[in-house]
Amino acid sequence: MNQKHQEDLAHIRSMMERSSRCISLSGLSGVFAGLSALIGGLYVYQLFKSNGIEYFTEEHILLSGNLVSELISTAFVILFFALVFGIFFTIRKSKKYNLPVWTSVTKKMLITLAIPLFIGGIFCMALIYHQNYGLIAPATLIFYGLALINVEKYTFSDVKYLGFCELILGCISLFFIGYGLIFWILGFGILHILYGLVMFKKYK
C-alpha cells in the first residue's frame, strides 16, 4: 500500500512539474545556437582581418561606420539562426513526447525572458550610439545571464547555471575591454554547446 501511495505521489509530482514548467525545450537547440555563435564569431574575426585589423595584436581598434553596420547585421543573422534552431528542436521534441508547445507557462517564460533582453538591447543601442563598442560584448553577456536566471522558474532549473556562467563571464570581460569577441565566443558559443549537450543527455 505504501508503495502505491509513493507511486501516486510521484505521478502527481510529475504532473505538477509538467503544468508549471515548460519542459519541451531541447538541448539540441542550445548546441546549434552555440554553433551559430561560434561560426558567427569566427566570421567576425575574418571580417576584422579583411579590414586590416589584427585583433590579437592591436591595442586600440578603430571601427568604421561600415564595419559597425556589418557587425550589427552579423549579430542579427546569428540571432535569427539561433531562434530558428530553438523553435525547430522544441517543436520536434514536443511532437515526439506529445507535449504542448504554446501554453500559459510558455507565454510567461517568453515574457520573463524578453524583459531583460529588451532592456539589454536598448542599452547596447545606446552604447553603439555613443560609440562605446568595447562594452557591448560584456553587456550582452550580462543581460543574457540575468534573463536566463530570471526564467529558471518556468523551465528546467539547470538553465540558471548557464545564466550564472554567462553573468560571471560578462563581469570578467568588463575588465578586459578590447577582447570582447573572445568572451562573446566563449559565452554564446562554447558555453551554449556544453550546456546543450548536458541537457540533451540528461533529458533526452
Side-chain angles (χ1 to χ4, degrees):
M1 185 65 72
N2 287 335
Q3 184 177 357
K4 175 127 184 2
H5 285 164
Q6 289 177 356
E7 290 176 356
D8 290 341
L9 286 172
H11 181 66
I12 293 170
R13 191 179 297 114
S14 176
M15 290 179 61
M16 290 177 65
E17 177 76 8
R18 286 173 178 269
S19 65
S20 63
R21 291 179 182 268
C22 179
I23 59 175
S24 59
L25 297 177
S26 172
L28 288 177
S29 61
V31 173
F32 279 86
L35 288 173
S36 300
L38 202 58
I39 293 170
L42 295 175
Y43 172 76
V44 168
Y45 175 71
Q46 291 299 322
L47 200 59
F48 281 140
K49 287 192 71 173
S50 65
N51 281 268
I53 298 173
E54 293 297 332
Y55 183 80
F56 292 103
T57 57
E58 293 187 27
E59 292 185 4
H60 301 287
I61 298 176
L62 298 177
L63 303 179
S64 64
N66 289 335
L67 183 55
V68 171
S69 297
E70 286 189 70
L71 294 174
I72 294 173
S73 299
T74 302
F76 276 109
V77 170
I78 295 169
L79 177 62
F80 171 77
F81 278 105
L83 289 173
V84 168
F85 286 129
I87 293 170
F88 172 77
F89 285 111
T90 297
I91 292 175
R92 194 180 76 159
K93 183 180 178 182
S94 298
K95 289 181 178 179
K96 182 178 179 180
Y97 294 102
N98 197 26
L99 295 170
V101 179
W102 190 250
T103 64
S104 59
V105 178
T106 307
K107 295 175 187 177
K108 291 177 183 178
M109 184 190 73
L110 291 176
I111 292 172
T112 305
L113 186 68
I115 292 172
L117 292 181
F118 179 73
I119 300 302
I122 294 175
F123 183 76
C124 289
M125 287 174 62
L127 292 176
I128 294 170
Y129 178 79
H130 293 292
Q131 299 183 356
N132 290 323
Y133 304 123
L135 292 174
I136 294 175
T140 55
L141 289 167
I142 289 171
F143 279 101
Y144 182 58
L146 290 173
L148 292 179
I149 295 169
N150 201 33
V151 83
E152 176 260 340
K153 56 183 173 288
Y154 294 116
T155 184
F156 295 118
S157 59
D158 310 71
V159 75
K160 67 175 176 288
Y161 301 116
L162 176 62
F164 282 120
C165 289
E166 300 283 0
L167 197 59
I168 292 168
L169 200 60
C171 289
I172 294 173
S173 66
L174 286 170
F175 298 92
F176 295 92
I177 301 299
Y179 295 95
L181 180 60
I182 298 172
F183 286 97
W184 198 89
I185 290 175
L186 287 173
F188 290 102
I190 305 300
L191 282 181
H192 258 149
I193 293 172
L194 293 175
Y195 171 78
L197 289 173
V198 171
M199 293 293 288
F200 178 72
K201 184 177 180 181
K202 185 175 181 180
Y203 296 106
K204 67 180 179 179

